[in-house]
Amino acid sequence: MTWQSILVDMLTYVFLAYSIVLLSLYVFIGLYSIGEIKKYLFKNSFTDYRALASATQAPGISILAPAYNEGANVIENVRSLLSIHYNNLEVIIINDGSKDDSLEKLIAAYDLYKSDFFVNEQVATKPVRGVYKSRARKYRKLIVVDKVNGGKADALNVGINISQKDYIVCIDVDCILEQDALLKLAKPFLENTDKRVIATGGVIRIANGCTIEDGMLVKINLPNSFLPRMQTLEYIRAFLLGRMAWSRLNGLLLISGAFGAFDKEIAVKCGGYDHNTVGEDMELVVRMRRYMEELKQPYIVSFIPDPLCWTEAPASFKILGRQRNRWARGTIETLRMHKVMFFNPKYRLLGMLSYPYWFFFEYLAPIIEFVGMSCFIILALFGLTNWYFFFCLLALVFSFGIMYSIFAILMEVLTYNQYNRYRDILKLIGTALMEPFIFHPFVVWSSIKGNIDLYQKKNSWGEMTRQGLSTPKKPNS
Amino acid sequence: MIFFEVAILFFICVTFLMILWMFINLTIKKVRDGRYKKLKNMADILIRNAIFLEQTEEIKLIPITARTAKMLSNDNFRSILTQELLSAKKNISGTAAVNLENLYNQLNLDKYAVKRLRSRRWHIKAKAIQELGIMGQKTHLNKIYRSTNNKNDLVRMEAQTTIVKLYGFEGLRFLDVVSYQISEWQQIKLLQELSRLAPDNFSGIEKWLNSTNMSVIVFALKLVRNYHRFELYDRITELLNHPNEVIRLEAIYTLEKIYTNETSKVLIDKYPLETLKNQKAIVKALQDVGYDDDIPVLIQFLGQDENELKRLIVRTIANINPEGLTEVENLPQSNQYPLDQIIKQIKGELI
């Protein structure tokens, strides 16, 4: 045996072993999520959320919605938030130094005045220019904060400082919420008697292609465009299977920044959102968990499989690439900041399972995939590739990936069944078949670019241009 | 290499089976939806007739067609009819609601619910309990009461809610024996059930305030404040010394609702010994129960570092007497951050 063949064999078996462990974990996640979803659906089938909406004992919730250059839709988005039926609620819109006329529009539409408001700076932020309240009683729940631009994390921290309630719900201002989303998100905080629920998240769905009128979701449709449809499948898989399984293990490290609820006391004690990372949503959850572990206090990070929030997915490769690049950088930054937990038994499940999983299979997976493919190409150039083995391994990974996606679609059909036309299911199956060849390589490449950008200390958020979700109304005939 | 081939073949077969399952399931759902609409229509007609029936001495029974009677042996129809009856019953009251209960009894639907009550599957059992409660089936009290301390939290919660729904304040006697903690969510549900009833001078509350189950004490405190049980004032003040922080907090909230001339003094005495959260609750309570004489003490409390507490104290002073703000303004630190800004905000709130 030559050293080259030893090297090739070693590489091959390392990649094979990694793939087998990864696929086994996916099987475990898929199967483990079933029990949790079933339990939730049974429980949900006889829960009356109306009890909470009007209860005087309902916990106080502050919705924090940062807005940057959202002038085009901000009035409608705020109206949608104000229409949420919940007794003990305040809606805080944080204008993060927008360059457009967002603030002027809000002042005019909601009859706002600049009030003397003491901003309790529990978390350090960029300066607040003014706090606005409405003269109209019907908008008494609304607070608009104008601040110097500092990014999403900084805007959310200002929201935390302004908030007067016990729980904060952080959302993207352009998200469309289901009518009972807040009630469903608040319930886990009230259910547990032996452990403190420090954060709750819900399923985010893709709104591209859906019919939206006056900030309300009227009809659910599968996106027509290619990329949003790919992301629809990806979100079903990630939220319905991945997060439910991690939630059952109480090992969830991420609650989407688009819609999540937090226990404010713990969030403040942890120092709020970290504006040194572009993955501020994941970082806060990890820090809150770490804080609770270090205090040795029993806690839960809860997750709800109900689709609660609808968001616009990037529809172009350029914007999607920026998003995935940012996600990759956010993951690495978070893992770096909390590297002390890596296989540290002091942090129990968090240190021994959740963190290593994210390190090996979220952070390293695209790198290993990229390096693996590169190695095979180099070996092929030198004529050292066993082509049969190569194609078998590729077919194994692809066929598994497709099977896992089909399993996710099956779970969707058996549970929420939101895309219930035969045509939609066929389209989703087609998407699952295409994903490994088009979408997945692009996501891997964006992630690699994220790694490179981080190495080169490029830490921009990346502009996320959105097309807007409102469906144009048909003129009356 | 055989490993790869077998594995790939296995994945492909599983994929095809799942796709098949998906389409079979979708087809079944579509067929069932079509049938469901038809059956629901029949059930709705029956329910509508029951709701609008004017019962007289002669007509006690709700008229049922032969076809509907025959359909009752169909599990699907019975399940749809029960669901429709339950959702109708939840939204109406008065004679129409009684008519729906009568229809439920006339069709012996309780018999099926009792059968499901014996199920080992928690969600079936819990749903059956809920059904019996909504349909006012008092005859099954013993079976339901036994579940109020069930080890499954959802069965237990439904049983507790149902007992209160059926027996009102008397149903709260499960609090004597419940060994599991009652969640905040369940407490909200129970209080909501009780809010539908005329206030009653119910007994047992003294015992619950001495319970070894912390959540029972918390719930009893909520009952005391919701139903203004002034006679328990002394016991509530004793609970301000309880080792559990949550119970002390609830005791503060309760004293805010059943206060006497002495309450502000009692709360102020406890203030230095309390946690930050409970200190905030005391200061908030003083907005309702405080007097002018308490203002100098409150001003003394401003000498701590917690800004949120400072804001609350200034707001409380302004609520007790707006003139009290002048005293705050006379403080040497009133021109410095954060007190200067807090005073500005509170003055703005007074306008």
Side-chain angles (χ1 to χ4, degrees):
Chain A
M1 278 177 87
T2 60
W3 68 269
Q4 288 100 327
S5 63
I6 293 173
L7 185 71
V8 170
D9 280 358
M10 263 177 64
L11 268 176
T12 308
Y13 286 106
V14 165
F15 290 130
L16 180 65
Y18 181 85
S19 306
I20 290 173
V21 175
L22 183 62
L23 302 195
S24 309
L25 275 167
Y26 278 147
V27 171
F28 169 75
I29 284 172
L31 297 176
Y32 199 62
S33 63
I34 297 174
E36 190 70 354
I37 298 171
K38 258 173 84 175
K39 188 180 171 196
Y40 181 83
L41 289 175
F42 284 144
K43 203 166 89 173
N44 210 27
S45 66
F46 50 94
T47 300
D48 186 0
Y49 288 94
R50 286 178 302 180
L52 191 57
S54 52
T56 47
Q57 287 88 4
I61 292 179
S62 304
I63 293 182
L64 312 183
Y68 178 70
N69 291 348
E70 300 276 355
N73 298 309
V74 76
I75 304 298
E76 201 174 281
N77 295 335
V78 171
R79 192 179 302 131
S80 162
L81 292 176
L82 287 172
S83 71
I84 293 172
H85 182 44
Y86 191 85
N87 205 15
N88 200 354
L89 177 73
E90 65 181 4
V91 177
I92 302 173
I93 309 297
I94 308 113
N95 178 42
D96 189 23
S98 295
K99 289 173 191 153
D100 65 0
D101 56 351
S102 302
L103 183 66
E104 290 71 26
K105 279 185 170 172
L106 284 166
I107 290 173
Y110 296 104
D111 193 14
L112 302 177
Y113 68 95
K114 194 173 183 177
S115 71
D116 286 314
F117 192 95
F118 164 61
V119 181
N120 182 14
E121 209 172 290
Q122 303 164 90
V123 185
T125 63
K126 289 270 171 76
V128 170
R129 291 195 283 234
V131 177
Y132 295 81
K133 288 184 174 180
S134 177
R135 291 185 189 89
R137 213 180 129 61
K138 61 181 171 176
Y139 302 133
R140 68 188 181 283
K141 289 179 179 174
L142 177 66
I143 297 175
V144 175
V145 189
D146 183 33
K147 68 174 280 282
V148 173
N149 180 262
K152 190 180 173 187
D154 194 64
L156 287 167
N157 283 338
V158 166
I160 292 174
N161 289 340
I162 297 279
S163 151
Q164 303 271 299
K165 309 286 184 187
D166 291 337
Y167 296 98
I168 47 169
V169 170
C170 303
I171 74 159
D172 286 347
V173 75
D174 56 347
C175 275
I176 309 291
L177 295 187
E178 295 275 344
Q179 265 302 297
D180 52 2
L182 213 55
L183 302 172
K184 285 181 173 168
L185 210 61
K187 189 171 168 255
F189 289 110
L190 305 169
E191 275 182 319
N192 243 281
T193 52
D194 53 348
K195 289 177 181 170
R196 185 167 181 170
V197 177
I198 59 166
T200 313
V203 169
I204 315 283
R205 288 280 169 107
I206 303 295
N208 304 48
C210 294
T211 312
I212 289 154
E213 284 169 14
D214 297 326
M216 303 279 191
L217 183 74
V218 179
K219 192 168 180 258
I220 298 166
N221 296 314
L222 190 67
N224 284 321
S225 338
F226 174 72
L227 277 180
R229 202 163 60 236
M230 285 286 174
Q231 291 167 86
T232 300
L233 175 64
E234 190 191 25
Y235 276 42
I236 291 174
R237 210 171 44 212
F239 284 100
L240 211 53
L241 305 184
R243 299 219 182 148
M244 281 315 283
W246 281 108
S247 162
R248 190 175 176 187
L249 283 167
N250 192 20
L252 202 61
L253 286 195
L254 173 62
I255 281 178
S256 169
F259 189 50
F262 301 89
D263 182 323
K264 192 177 85 180
E265 190 188 349
I266 306 292
V268 169
K269 280 181 176 165
C270 290
Y273 284 95
D274 190 324
H275 45 78
N276 294 316
T277 171
V278 285
E280 78 295 327
D281 45 2
M282 179 181 174
E283 202 282 328
L284 180 65
V285 178
V286 175
R287 195 145 32 90
M288 285 173 79
R289 294 193 73 124
R290 188 175 158 186
Y291 173 83
M292 296 303 279
E293 291 286 348
E294 284 170 356
L295 286 182
K296 294 197 180 344
Q297 284 188 8
Y299 71 96
I300 289 176
V301 173
S302 164
F303 192 77
I304 296 162
D306 283 328
L308 301 179
C309 173
W310 296 77
T311 188
E312 185 186 351
S316 73
F317 279 103
K318 193 173 151 194
I319 305 290
L320 178 71
R322 279 182 197 159
Q323 186 195 52
R324 299 312 160 104
N325 177 316
R326 179 164 52 81
W327 286 5
R329 282 182 286 138
T331 303
I332 305 164
E333 283 168 345
T334 305
L335 292 174
R336 261 192 210 166
M337 284 175 186
H338 301 280
K339 59 178 182 252
V340 68
M341 296 194 301
F342 191 48
F343 281 123
N344 187 340
K346 189 179 139 193
Y347 295 96
R348 301 178 302 150
L349 186 104
L350 180 63
M352 300 303 286
L353 191 66
S354 297
Y355 187 105
Y357 174 85
W358 271 81
F359 181 81
F360 287 114
F361 303 112
E362 295 286 346
Y363 160 52
L364 281 186
I367 297 174
I368 289 178
E369 200 175 329
F370 182 76
V371 171
M373 286 306 275
S374 308
C375 283
F376 273 115
I377 292 167
I378 292 165
L379 292 174
L381 290 175
F382 286 100
L384 292 167
T385 303
N386 176 346
W387 286 106
Y388 184 69
F389 183 82
F390 172 71
F391 281 114
C392 275
L393 186 59
L394 206 63
L396 179 87
V397 174
F398 279 12
S399 58
F400 179 84
I402 291 167
M403 181 185 77
Y404 193 65
S405 294
I406 298 294
F407 177 66
I409 303 170
L410 175 67
M411 287 301 288
E412 158 66 17
V413 170
L414 296 178
T415 53
Y416 293 97
N417 199 22
Q418 295 197 301
Y419 309 107
N420 51 12
R421 289 176 300 186
Y422 290 113
R423 200 177 50 189
D424 287 346
I425 297 300
L426 280 172
K427 274 187 191 170
L428 274 174
I429 292 169
T431 308
L433 294 174
M434 274 192 286
E435 193 196 15
F437 303 99
I438 306 164
F439 184 74
H440 183 71
F442 179 76
V443 168
V444 169
W445 174 239
S446 303
S447 181
I448 296 296
K449 273 170 76 180
N451 277 269
I452 296 166
D453 284 358
L454 193 74
Y455 181 71
Q456 294 175 339
K457 298 198 176 1
K458 286 184 195 166
N459 56 358
S460 73
W461 182 269
E463 205 173 310
M464 298 293 294
T465 316
R466 295 183 193 266
Q467 293 169 340
L469 289 170
S470 287
T471 315
K473 280 181 186 167
K474 284 176 194 162
N476 290 333
S477 52
Chain B
M1 293 293 172
I2 189 80
F3 161 77
F4 285 119
E5 286 151 12
V6 171
I8 293 164
L9 196 68
F10 174 75
F11 294 157
I12 292 171
C13 289
V14 173
T15 304
F16 273 111
L17 284 176
M18 285 194 295
I19 291 173
L20 196 69
W21 184 358
M22 233 184 284
F23 282 100
I24 291 173
N25 187 280
L26 268 181
T27 311
I28 291 172
K29 268 184 187 161
K30 284 197 192 298
V31 171
R32 206 184 280 165
D33 278 357
R35 217 181 288 157
Y36 175 85
K37 271 181 203 154
K38 249 164 112 185
L39 296 178
K40 188 177 171 293
N41 241 344
M42 275 176 79
D44 284 346
I45 292 168
L46 189 57
I47 290 167
R48 217 176 303 138
N49 288 343
I51 288 173
F52 295 111
L53 181 81
E54 282 186 30
Q55 288 194 1
T56 60
E57 282 298 312
E58 303 84 60
I59 310 167
K60 285 261 180 205
L61 290 176
I62 291 135
I64 296 166
T65 61
R67 190 171 164 233
T68 308
K70 201 177 152 198
M71 283 300 287
L72 281 169
S73 56
N74 178 323
D75 287 348
N76 271 344
F77 176 69
R78 218 172 40 238
S79 155
I80 292 166
L81 177 62
T82 310
Q83 272 174 36
E84 294 301 303
L85 265 171
L86 291 174
S87 56
K89 179 76 197 312
K90 274 189 217 167
N91 294 315
I92 54 170
S93 55
T95 321
V98 176
N99 285 354
L100 291 181
E101 271 179 33
N102 290 342
L103 177 64
Y104 185 82
N105 292 330
Q106 187 184 326
L107 303 177
N108 290 323
L109 293 175
D110 63 324
K111 200 173 73 188
Y112 300 98
V114 172
K115 212 167 149 189
R116 277 181 280 132
L117 206 57
R118 288 194 286 268
S119 171
R120 284 189 176 184
R121 289 156 78 182
W122 62 267
H123 60 100
I124 295 177
K125 197 181 178 93
K127 237 179 178 169
I129 293 173
Q130 192 183 53
E131 180 182 323
L132 292 169
I134 293 170
M135 298 317 295
Q137 300 297 306
K138 289 190 177 181
T139 43
H140 307 290
L141 170 72
N142 286 341
K143 290 186 190 95
I144 299 169
Y145 190 78
R146 246 178 273 146
S147 298
T148 56
N149 207 23
N150 192 292
K151 65 177 181 202
N152 181 286
D153 54 346
L154 284 140
V155 172
R156 191 169 68 237
M157 277 165 59
E158 280 313 320
Q160 292 169 356
T161 313
T162 298
I163 288 290
V164 171
K165 200 187 281 280
L166 295 176
Y167 290 93
F169 290 95
E170 211 184 303
L172 289 173
R173 70 190 163 103
F174 75 83
L175 293 171
D176 296 350
V177 290
V178 69
S179 54
Y180 295 94
Q181 296 294 306
I182 306 169
S183 68
E184 283 282 314
W185 169 254
Q186 175 65 355
Q187 291 184 31
I188 287 174
K189 274 174 69 186
L190 291 171
L191 289 172
Q192 202 203 26
E193 280 306 328
L194 292 171
S195 70
R196 295 188 181 123
L197 309 167
D200 186 7
N201 210 12
F202 50 98
S203 60
I205 200 159
E206 298 85 350
K207 203 196 297 181
W208 305 329
L209 286 170
N210 290 311
S211 173
T212 50
N213 183 331
M214 296 299 131
S215 64
V216 171
I217 304 181
V218 167
F219 186 65
L221 282 164
K222 287 176 183 170
L223 289 173
V224 172
R225 64 172 180 263
N226 277 11
Y227 295 95
H228 300 97
R229 300 292 292 261
F230 294 100
E231 77 276 15
L232 295 164
Y233 179 83
D234 291 338
R235 176 64 191 133
I236 309 302
T237 41
E238 278 169 31
L239 285 173
L240 289 176
N241 301 317
H242 199 281
N244 186 302
E245 185 193 346
V246 178
I247 290 178
R248 293 200 307 275
L249 179 70
E250 290 295 333
I252 295 164
Y253 290 152
T254 307
L255 284 176
E256 192 184 338
K257 298 288 173 198
I258 57 162
Y259 63 92
T260 66
N261 294 340
E262 295 297 309
T263 306
S264 68
K265 194 179 173 315
V266 172
L267 291 175
I268 285 172
D269 286 347
K270 292 290 166 204
Y271 178 90
L273 311 168
E274 269 304 348
T275 59
L276 178 64
K277 192 173 184 183
N278 287 5
Q279 283 183 334
K280 285 179 185 171
I282 288 176
V283 173
K284 237 177 177 174
L286 287 171
Q287 290 179 14
D288 292 328
V289 308
Y291 296 100
D292 284 7
D293 295 349
D294 301 322
I295 292 178
V297 191
L298 282 166
I299 289 176
Q300 276 181 32
F301 291 165
L302 282 171
Q304 46 75 44
D305 294 332
E306 231 301 311
N307 290 339
E308 191 54 48
L309 187 54
K310 273 190 182 136
R311 174 162 46 192
L312 268 174
I313 292 170
V314 178
R315 189 178 283 137
T316 299
I317 292 170
N319 266 283
I320 293 172
N321 185 351
E323 298 293 316
L325 267 184
T326 322
E327 287 179 51
V328 180
E329 281 177 305
N330 290 336
L331 290 172
Q333 67 268 34
S334 65
N335 293 324
Q336 294 161 16
Y337 177 89
L339 206 53
D340 57 339
Q341 293 190 28
I342 292 175
I343 294 170
K344 263 188 188 172
Q345 180 187 338
I346 304 302
K347 274 184 164 175
E349 285 175 9
L350 287 175
I351 298 166

